[in-house]
Amino acid sequence: MSAVQLAPAALSPQLPAAEVVVPEIPLTDLVVVADRFRGFTDGTRVHTVSGLVAALRGGAFRNVRTDLTIRLGQGIKRHDKEYVEHVASIHAPAAEVRLLGDIAAPAPRHHVHKYQETNVLIANLARAEDGSFTSDLRIDGDNELLIDHQTGEHVQGLVIVEAARQLFLGAFELEYGNRSPEQHYYVVWNSIDLSFKTFLFPLPASLRARFGAVSIQDPAKLQFTIDIEVTQFGRSVATATISFAALENSTISQIERRKAAKAIEAFLGVTA
């Protein structure tokens, strides 16, 4: 078998393709999310705070002389924003750095019934002119629902369920709870009919709620249904219809104590 020989003129004077070093031109319109959402990052368009800081310090943006736009995704706190701005001012000195996006304050504790700010999932709660209630989704990277399980690129469904719960609590407090501010109500679920339409990603999203059937004739037990929709970039992510009741705190305490006693008796009877 004869060998095929190449004439010297056919040989490329350049390095083989595998060895050619092509200068990488960094993207200058980026997204940054909390480190908790590292599964969503791709190292080019989407970065975690730690990843972006490492890229800046590594010189990835040192020669950028145009706008460097960094859009804020979920989990970014003011502390993070100021840190990224500081590092960018040193390691991207020729760029016009712009961090875009609001860092909204969480809804107040008396609206969402959460003790820890990190666990509040809604912000900018308001009653719209059409009678609906709106809020922004805000997911803290240290939220209780993420600490033990946040894998893959999308945000887990339990976050949507809890955000819907906080929104109906907030809507109730704004619309009915403030009518008797001295009265403390305990809110309990009756039912939830929830449908997931698509994945929710750690980017800006919003919620809207509207009351359906309302029964407030008995001040000791107010009953409601409420429809909630979660949207992201104009697309419906999830919808829910929730039925709940608001009972006077003294009433629910008596009911709980009575039912707890029966549960204990049943347990002891079974295990005796």
Side-chain angles (χ1 to χ4, degrees), residues 3-152:
V4 176
Q5 295 183 343
L6 295 176
L11 297 176
S12 171
Q14 299 177 346
L15 292 172
E19 298 181 22
V20 173
V21 178
V22 179
E24 182 178 348
I25 301 174
L27 296 176
T28 56
D29 195 347
L30 314 172
V31 177
V32 62
V33 296
D35 286 7
R36 182 74 62 183
F37 301 112
R38 62 180 60 88
F40 182 59
T41 63
D42 59 11
T44 55
R45 299 170 303 169
V46 185
H47 301 258
T48 61
V49 173
S50 295
L52 180 56
V53 166
L56 285 162
R57 287 177 170 167
F61 303 95
R62 185 171 298 280
N63 297 321
V64 172
R65 300 183 181 279
T66 59
D67 287 347
L68 176 56
T69 302
I70 303 170
R71 304 179 188 274
L72 306 184
Q74 291 289 350
I76 302 301
K77 303 176 184 179
R78 192 164 305 280
H79 188 65
D80 300 317
K81 178 176 180 289
E82 292 172 352
Y83 183 46
V84 170
E85 288 174 330
H86 169 72
V87 175
S89 69
I90 297 172
H91 297 284
E96 184 67 31
V97 180
R98 300 183 303 159
L99 271 73
L100 302 182
D102 295 328
I103 301 178
R109 174 171 162 172
H110 62 280
H111 284 165
V112 295
H113 302 188
K114 300 300 292 185
Y115 291 100
Q116 302 298 324
E117 183 178 298
T118 53
N119 296 329
V120 177
L121 288 168
I122 63 174
N124 297 322
L125 174 64
R127 188 183 192 280
E129 292 183 358
D130 64 359
S132 64
F133 295 83
T134 61
S135 75
D136 294 326
L137 182 70
R138 50 91 64 190
I139 309 175
D140 192 294
D142 293 323
N143 184 279
E144 60 187 341
L145 297 176
L146 304 181
I147 291 175
D148 194 42
H149 177 72
Q150 175 53 45
T151 58

Side-chain angles (χ1 to χ4, degrees), residues 119-244:
N119 296 329
V120 177
L121 288 168
I122 63 174
N124 297 322
L125 174 64
R127 188 183 192 280
E129 292 183 358
D130 64 359
S132 64
F133 295 83
T134 61
S135 75
D136 294 326
L137 182 70
R138 50 91 64 190
I139 309 175
D140 192 294
D142 293 323
N143 184 279
E144 60 187 341
L145 297 176
L146 304 181
I147 291 175
D148 194 42
H149 177 72
Q150 175 53 45
T151 58
E153 299 190 34
H154 72 282
V155 178
Q156 60 177 314
L158 279 177
V159 171
I160 294 176
V161 176
E162 173 60 16
R165 187 189 78 89
Q166 292 184 20
L167 181 56
F168 85 65
L169 286 170
F172 163 75
E173 293 290 1
L174 283 176
E175 185 69 10
Y176 297 99
N178 61 6
R179 298 185 184 185
S180 302
E182 75 288 347
Q183 178 65 59
H184 178 65
Y185 284 101
Y186 192 101
V187 178
V188 295
W189 301 67
N190 290 327
S191 66
I192 178 171
D193 182 5
L194 175 67
S195 297
F196 294 103
K197 310 296 184 182
T198 188
F199 288 130
L200 174 71
F201 295 103
L203 298 169
S206 59
L207 299 92
R208 181 178 293 272
R210 185 183 296 276
F211 281 105
V214 174
S215 176
I216 56 175
Q217 288 75 26
D218 180 1
K221 185 177 182 181
L222 314 178
Q223 299 193 76
F224 308 89
T225 60
I226 192 167
D227 296 314
I228 295 176
E229 183 177 31
V230 182
T231 59
Q232 190 166 56
F233 312 121
R235 296 175 58 188
S236 180
V237 172
T239 58
T241 298
I242 299 171
S243 170
F244 68 98

